Amino acid sequence: MSLTAVDRLLTNANVFHARTLLLYYALPDEVDTSLLFEHLSDKTILLPKVIDSENMELRTYTGENDLATGCYGIKEPVGKVFTDFAKIDVAIIPGMAFDRHGHRLGRGNGYYDRLLSKIPQAYKIGLCFDFQIVDSVPVDIHDVMMNDVIIV
């Protein structure tokens, strides 16, 4: 199922024209984005790294050998920290559920909402399986909406 997501992302105009993309390394119940990495070698790929109970920092992905398992069992980059948030063109974001209006239900810690609030210029794409689409998700003032949701 993740191969369909790769095809849709690679043909997405925002992804095609982006120079710097924020991706994620998937948990077992998320769409696998690692399949994209080899197809985006001409772009800067950023992955989040959890640094404490509330925050993530971004690091540049340079290859599989640059990953270590983080505190939630997610592979995270160990390379250079990336802080030039204004350069991020597209952010591809996982979620437990999405609605068709672009609202996202995360895992409850607010990591992505805090991170996404720092990159308002980035085109935000939620990525999910069809069974993760619901009629509505709970929304509060700190939640950041997606510009688009790609469903596979």
Side-chain angles (χ1 to χ4, degrees):
M1 290 171 60
S2 293
L3 290 174
T4 301
V6 169
D7 290 340
R8 289 187 185 163
L9 285 167
L10 290 174
T11 59
N12 181 285
N14 292 290
V15 173
F16 180 80
H17 294 293
R19 298 179 120 191
T20 304
L21 293 117
L22 168 60
L23 293 172
Y24 63 90
Y25 208 96
L27 289 168
D29 61 346
E30 296 172 338
V31 177
D32 185 358
T33 59
S34 68
L35 304 169
L36 276 170
F37 297 173
E38 67 184 72
H39 298 287
L40 300 174
S41 59
D42 62 328
K43 303 175 187 303
T44 299
I45 297 173
L46 307 173
L47 294 175
K49 176 177 175 50
V50 174
I51 56 172
D52 60 35
S53 64
E54 294 186 358
N55 297 291
M56 296 188 293
E57 64 186 10
L58 301 180
R59 296 194 179 198
T60 305
Y61 172 80
T62 58
E64 277 291 317
N65 294 333
D66 185 36
L67 297 173
T69 302
C71 63
Y72 291 104
I74 302 169
K75 288 187 178 182
E76 299 175 331
V78 295
K80 184 178 175 188
V81 175
F82 183 91
T83 58
D84 194 355
F85 297 136
K87 287 189 174 181
I88 301 172
D89 302 305
V90 172
I92 299 170
I93 307 299
M96 297 295 295
F98 292 88
D99 66 22
R100 295 192 186 277
H101 302 288
H103 298 112
R104 173 186 166 273
L105 180 66
R107 296 185 183 267
N109 291 333
Y111 283 111
Y112 275 103
D113 290 314
R114 282 188 289 280
L115 178 62
L116 293 173
S117 70
K118 297 176 185 177
I119 55 171
Q121 80 290 344
Y123 189 82
K124 296 154 192 70
I125 301 173
L127 188 58
C128 68
F129 297 111
D130 60 358
F131 57 82
Q132 293 174 291
I133 292 294
V134 297
D135 291 334
S136 66
V137 298
V139 179
D140 75 23
I141 194 166
H142 301 292
D143 292 337
V144 176
M145 285 183 61
M146 302 293 103
N147 299 103
D148 192 5
V149 177
I150 293 179
I151 306 162
V152 294

